């Protein structure tokens, strides 16, 4: 029976690595298979992926359009049908606890998709017109929180 200590790879199945730059007698001394001079012959010499060697770079070839509005406010949207999952009053904290929004630090907007059957006080940063109408029709109230509240009054 064979022992683990007797195991060895088949003859010819393992090849020694090429030891470059170990003198001219090795056959790979001198320039160490890197050719002569230039960036890629140097230590740490790599061509940056965006370099295209004299060709106009891609970033300059593609057209430029539009701009990024730094004043844009991105709301976390919640539909009325999702508010049925929450018992009692609705606020960003209760929405976060129910897993309907990602963060209490970003503004929340309630949209009017679906119906709400119960009277609830809903607090959010913004409401669509249909959402506000449906909440009030069900006997609840929609209150705006944050800087928009002072601008609205």
């Amino acid at each position: 029976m064979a022992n683990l200590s007797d195991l060895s790879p088949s003859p010819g199945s393992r090849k020694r690595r090429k030891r470059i730059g170990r003198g001219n007698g090795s056959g790979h001394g001198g320039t160490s298979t890197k050719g002569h001079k230039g960036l890629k012959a140097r230590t740490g010499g790599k061509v940056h992926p965006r370099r295209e060697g004299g060709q106009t770079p891609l970033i300059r070839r593609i057209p430029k359009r539009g701009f990024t509005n730094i004043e844009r406010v991105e709301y976390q949207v919640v539909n009325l049908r999702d508010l049925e999952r929450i018992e009692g009053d609705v606020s960003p904290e209760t929405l976060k606890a129910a897993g309907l929004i990602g963060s209490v630090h970003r503004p929340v907007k309630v949209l009017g998709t679906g119906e709400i059957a119960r009277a609830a006080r809903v607090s959010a940063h913004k409401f669509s017109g249909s959402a506000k109408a449906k909440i009030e029709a069900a006997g609840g109230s929609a209150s705006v929180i944050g800087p928009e509240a002072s601008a609205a009054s």
Side-chain angles (χ1 to χ4, degrees):
M1 185 165 90
N3 291 325
L4 283 175
S5 60
D6 295 336
L7 294 178
S8 64
S10 304
S13 68
R14 306 273 297 177
K15 190 175 179 183
R16 291 177 61 120
R17 71 179 181 89
K18 183 191 287 189
R19 294 185 71 231
I20 59 174
R22 295 297 183 270
N24 289 335
S26 69
H28 301 293
T31 57
S32 303
T33 73
K34 287 180 170 251
H36 292 282
K37 300 183 183 177
L39 173 66
K40 295 198 287 183
R42 313 290 185 198
T43 302
K46 291 188 187 84
V47 181
H48 195 279
R50 285 195 301 254
R51 292 283 304 166
E52 297 187 30
Q55 175 174 298
T56 304
L58 179 69
I59 195 69
R60 288 181 57 202
R61 288 194 305 251
I62 58 175
K64 311 297 184 289
R65 288 197 68 236
F67 74 106
T68 302
N69 182 3
I70 60 171
E71 301 294 326
R72 177 182 175 162
V73 178
E74 280 207 40
Y75 289 94
Q76 303 173 93
V77 294
V78 179
N79 284 302
L80 276 183
R81 66 172 173 236
D82 301 326
L83 299 185
E84 289 295 322
R85 290 194 234 166
I86 299 172
E87 297 294 324
D89 294 339
V90 179
S91 67
E93 290 76 20
T94 57
L95 291 170
K96 170 73 173 142
L100 293 173
I101 62 171
S103 170
V104 293
H105 303 294
R106 295 200 331 258
V108 177
K109 182 171 183 176
V110 179
L111 301 180
T113 304
E115 297 296 325
I116 187 164
R118 61 189 174 84
R121 283 199 317 236
V122 183
S123 303
H125 298 88
K126 211 163 197 178
F127 292 88
S128 69
S130 62
K132 193 167 190 173
K134 288 178 182 180
I135 291 168
E136 289 168 355
S141 65
S143 59
V144 179
I145 55 176
E148 287 84 7
S150 58
S153 46

